[in-house]
Amino acid sequence: MESLALERITVNPVQCGGRPCIRGMRIRVSDILELLAAGESREQILADYPYLEAEDITATLLYAARQFDHPILKAA
C-alpha cells in the first residue's frame, strides 16, 4: 500500500527544477508540506486545490517521512 502511495510522487528533471511533484502536476511536495506546516487542514488544501486528492496529501507525508528515515554515517 505504501508503494502505491509513493507512486503519486513524481520527479521529472525538466519540471519544477527536478523537485518531487504530485502526479506529474506542477505542485511540489514541498508546497503541500509548507501548507500543512502553516496550519492548513487537509480539507482546506483539497478545497483550494480541487485537482488534488486526499491520497496525494498522504503520499506527500509518507514521502517526506521516508526522506528522513535513513542512517546517518559519520567518518571516524
Side-chain angles (χ1 to χ4, degrees):
M1 180 163 157
E2 287 182 3
S3 64
L4 290 176
L6 290 175
E7 288 178 8
R8 290 176 167 272
I9 308 300
T10 57
V11 177
N12 181 338
V14 298
Q15 182 181 14
C16 295
R19 292 179 181 90
C21 294
I22 307 296
R23 292 185 289 124
M25 297 183 285
R26 293 191 177 275
I27 184 155
R28 300 169 301 167
V29 165
S30 61
D31 296 330
I32 301 299
L33 292 173
E34 287 176 5
L35 289 169
L36 291 167
E40 292 290 329
S41 68
R42 287 170 159 267
E43 294 77 18
Q44 187 60 50
I45 293 169
L46 294 172
D48 291 344
Y49 301 89
Y51 46 85
L52 289 178
E53 300 171 359
E55 293 83 2
D56 296 328
I57 297 173
T58 300
T60 296
L61 293 170
L62 180 59
Y63 181 85
R66 290 283 177 89
Q67 294 303 303
F68 291 99
D69 187 26
H70 58 81
I72 298 174
L73 304 175
K74 294 184 180 183

